[in-house]
Amino acid sequence: MKLTEAEWQIMKALWAEWPATARQIADRLSGEVNWAYTTIKTMLTRLTEKKALKETKKGNVSVYEPIISRPDAQRNALKSLVNQAFDGAFGPLMHFLLEDQKLPENQKEELLKVLKEGEQTGGGNGGV
Amino acid sequence: MKLTEAEWQIMKALWAEWPATARQIADRLSGEVNWAYTTIKTMLTRLTEKKALKETKKGNVSVYEPIISRPDAQRNALKSLVNQAFDGAFGPLMHFLLEDQKLPENQKEELLKVLKEGEQTGGGNGGV
DNA sequence: GCAATTCTACTACATATGTAGAAGCTGTCA
DNA sequence: TGACAGCTTCTACATATGTAGTAGAATTGC
């Protein structure tokens, strides 16, 4: 499952709160994009075909809910990026992030915290 | 500058060693993809139009060299991902990587090392 | 009961992307 | 001095993506 840029917008609006109608989604997006209502409907239809979300009729109105969760979508996107640009290795990506992106101090600290937590919990919820 | 999946393949082959001819690039890619030579030529032409690489004639043969560096391309790709999927914040991405992707211990250690180095050098080479 | 509103379903169209064939130019080896 | 091989440029075509109009069904406000 590969979401396009426009599809991410839609999905984010849906993840924010669901189930939601096309109208609700359009309203949520109205501050960010300038799409016609039918454009949004088209995207919703395509996302339904792609099994990224589920459409249910309430009377004659469709309500939508995500099938893939946001973390799953993030995982997929990240995995694609890592494979494509970083030869599949997380290490170099991290390196890159840390060396190159010049994290603000507070984020470094947060990161250290997370790293230490990780040592105890061994956390995570696994696969895609 | 946004590279597509196929374009990444081409660019990676070029970054590996350049300048290079279409033939050389095709040879390098022959183990990974199964594209016709003309497909590769097409991609090279498009990448030239996109200013991702530069084409120079040596006699009647074109040699190519990258205009954008691999780290720049990585930066761009990462930035896009972060904006799209992680609301522009590196912190959550890190969190996600660390908590969710279950890094092997050795990578965590490496990461810690990088973090500590960063504290002294304040390293990095700045933005795109 | 009818007009205005709101949905949905269908259709459309431009640009991007993946993929490659055809035709023509040129160098080279017999 | 050709015939072949390799290279280039053009053209083509399917599918994906972004974006939206139109027509007809349903809903609602009087």
Side-chain angles (χ1 to χ4, degrees):
Chain A
M1 250 306 307
K2 184 85 180 155
L3 299 175
T4 70
E5 208 162 317
E7 286 170 347
W8 264 97
Q9 292 279 303
I10 303 279
M11 289 304 289
K12 282 198 271 190
L14 184 57
W15 283 319
E17 190 180 341
W18 50 269
T21 65
R23 178 60 54 189
Q24 289 173 320
I25 291 169
D27 287 346
R28 288 176 200 163
L29 287 172
S30 65
E32 300 163 49
V33 295
N34 207 37
W35 294 333
Y37 175 81
T38 50
T39 298
I40 289 169
K41 270 299 271 184
T42 302
M43 301 298 311
L44 286 168
T45 301
R46 289 185 187 166
L47 282 164
T48 304
E49 283 158 10
K50 282 192 179 185
K51 309 276 186 211
L53 50 79
K54 188 154 71 87
E55 182 176 3
T56 314
K57 288 278 182 193
K58 289 281 180 191
N60 70 319
V61 176
S62 292
V63 291
Y64 301 90
E65 59 185 291
I67 290 176
I68 59 171
S69 69
R70 185 162 186 188
D72 277 355
Q74 288 175 319
R75 234 187 307 277
N76 285 333
L78 190 55
K79 202 165 282 187
S80 292
L81 174 76
V82 166
N83 284 327
Q84 186 145 90
F86 293 89
D87 297 319
F90 284 100
L93 168 62
M94 298 279 201
H95 238 277
F96 189 88
L97 276 170
L98 294 171
E99 291 191 324
D100 203 87
Q101 297 297 334
K102 293 191 293 192
L103 287 193
E105 265 320 307
N106 62 323
Q107 289 201 353
K108 283 194 202 155
E109 274 157 34
E110 192 200 352
L111 188 54
L112 276 167
K113 210 176 68 200
V114 175
L115 267 176
K116 289 196 183 108
E117 280 162 18
E119 262 151 41
Q120 277 125 43
T121 66
N125 61 27
V128 155
Chain B
M1 252 304 309
K2 184 85 181 156
L3 299 175
T4 70
E5 209 162 319
E7 287 170 346
W8 264 97
Q9 292 278 302
I10 304 278
M11 289 305 288
K12 282 197 271 190
L14 184 58
W15 282 320
E17 192 180 340
W18 50 271
T21 65
R23 178 61 53 189
Q24 289 172 320
I25 291 170
D27 287 345
R28 288 177 201 163
L29 287 172
S30 66
E32 301 164 49
V33 296
N34 207 38
W35 295 334
Y37 175 80
T38 49
T39 299
I40 290 169
K41 272 297 273 182
T42 302
M43 302 298 311
L44 286 169
T45 301
R46 288 184 187 167
L47 283 164
T48 303
E49 283 159 10
K50 282 192 179 185
K51 309 274 187 214
L53 50 81
K54 187 154 70 88
E55 182 175 4
T56 315
K57 287 278 179 195
K58 288 282 180 192
N60 70 319
V61 176
S62 292
V63 291
Y64 300 90
E65 60 185 292
I67 289 176
I68 60 171
S69 69
R70 187 165 183 185
D72 277 354
Q74 288 175 319
R75 234 188 307 278
N76 285 333
L78 189 55
K79 203 166 284 187
S80 292
L81 173 76
V82 166
N83 284 328
Q84 185 145 89
F86 293 89
D87 296 319
F90 284 100
L93 168 62
M94 298 279 201
H95 238 279
F96 189 87
L97 277 170
L98 293 170
E99 291 192 327
D100 203 86
Q101 298 296 332
K102 293 190 290 193
L103 286 195
E105 265 320 306
N106 62 324
Q107 289 200 353
K108 283 193 200 155
E109 274 156 32
E110 192 199 352
L111 190 54
L112 275 167
K113 210 176 67 200
V114 175
L115 266 177
K116 288 197 182 106
E117 280 161 16
E119 261 152 42
Q120 276 123 44
T121 66
N125 61 28
V128 150

